[in-house]
């Protein structure tokens, strides 16, 4: 599989998964079909749009390639029809979010490297790509974005992006580096929620004045 095909596959799968997380949350909040579609599209496309704008790739792929919107709409339809099946999973939104986080951290970092960015900016853009959709999804349902809350979130995306950069430096096959990055990001995110890991806080923070 060449770099272009791998990047497109990661993007489209990530779009569908993040769209499914947004749509599932919308159904849980009793949104109508239009609200479900809006939240699915927002969650699915925001991270990739931010990435492409930062890279100067305009119009963003989400608007120039109809497969992206189709993937988000398909996710909305799947949640609308199959919500009862999805809800049988333990913490379905978190699980889908963790997988989408991994896919977009890897795809964002890869696209940045292919555009000629140095490793550190590529890692940063990978993290931004990963957290953008989830942040917008949470804000649209009046929740504090997960990236700003106590659960480890951006750190998980950082792990996936660093793995992609390390794989590039060691000339590993891109598919292997991508797979490892996705698995490590999603796994770390899931374990962090299961174990209750928190990012460090400033001494004395959270205390009433």
């Amino acid at each position: 599989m060449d770099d272009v095909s791998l990047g497109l596959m990661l993007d489209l799968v990530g779009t569908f998964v993040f769209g499914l997380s947004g749509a599932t949350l919308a159904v849980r909040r009793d949104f109508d079909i239009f609200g479900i579609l809006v939240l699915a599209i927002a969650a699915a496309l925001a991270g990739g749009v931010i990435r492409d704008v930062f890279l100067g790739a305009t119009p963003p792929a989400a608007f120039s390639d109809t497969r992206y919107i189709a993937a988000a709409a398909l996710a909305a339809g799947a949640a609308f029809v199959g919500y009862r099946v999805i809800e049988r999973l333990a913490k379905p939104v978190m699980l889908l979010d963790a997988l989408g986080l991994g896919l977009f951290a890897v795809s964002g970092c890869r696209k940045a490297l292919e555009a000629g960015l140095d490793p550190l900016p590529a890692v940063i853009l990978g993290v931004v790509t990963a957290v953008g959709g989830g942040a917008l999804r949470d804000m649209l349902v009046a929740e504090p974005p997960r990236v700003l809350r106590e659960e480890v979130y951006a750190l998980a995306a950082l792990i996936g992006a660093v793995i992609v950069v390390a794989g590039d430096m060691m000339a590993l096959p891109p598919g292997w580096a991508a797979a490892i990055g996705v698995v490590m990001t999603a796994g770390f995110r899931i374990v962090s929620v299961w174990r209750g890991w928190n990012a460090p806080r400033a001494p004395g923070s959270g205390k009433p004045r």
Side-chain angles (χ1 to χ4, degrees):
M1 181 181 293
D2 60 34
D3 287 352
V4 174
S5 299
L6 177 61
L8 180 61
M9 182 189 72
L10 290 169
D11 254 7
L12 291 177
V13 175
T15 297
F16 178 81
V17 171
F18 254 136
L20 198 56
S21 78
T24 301
L25 183 59
V27 176
R28 184 180 289 175
R29 293 299 185 89
D30 201 28
F31 287 15
D32 63 18
I33 189 168
F34 180 74
I36 294 168
L37 181 62
V38 168
L39 202 60
I41 290 174
L45 303 184
V49 170
I50 294 169
R51 174 200 64 201
D52 290 350
V53 169
F54 280 6
L55 291 174
T58 54
F63 302 137
S64 61
D65 188 336
T66 56
R67 287 175 291 186
Y68 286 84
I69 293 178
L74 182 61
F80 184 82
V81 174
Y83 175 74
R84 289 188 179 91
V85 175
I86 296 170
E87 195 62 14
R88 290 175 187 171
L89 298 170
K91 297 182 179 291
V93 174
M94 187 277 291
L95 292 174
L96 292 167
D97 191 64
L99 181 56
L101 194 72
L103 287 161
F104 272 160
V106 168
S107 70
C109 187
R110 279 189 53 79
K111 192 163 186 177
L113 290 172
E114 291 165 6
L117 268 65
D118 289 336
L120 182 57
V123 166
I124 293 172
L125 194 55
V127 173
V128 170
T129 304
V131 304
L136 181 58
R137 175 200 61 208
D138 293 344
M139 288 189 289
L140 287 175
V141 295
E143 286 185 2
R146 282 172 170 78
V147 68
L148 303 179
R149 282 159 39 185
E150 71 277 3
E151 298 170 351
V152 174
Y153 195 77
L155 180 58
L158 180 66
I159 290 171
V162 168
I163 288 172
V164 171
V165 167
D168 186 67
M169 289 179 170
M170 294 185 289
L172 294 178
W176 280 103
I180 295 169
V182 171
V183 170
M184 290 298 293
T185 298
F188 188 79
R189 166 69 178 150
I190 292 168
V191 171
S192 73
V193 174
W194 173 49
R195 301 288 295 179
W197 293 343
N198 298 323
R201 302 286 187 90
S205 64
K207 293 182 179 180
R209 295 180 180 179

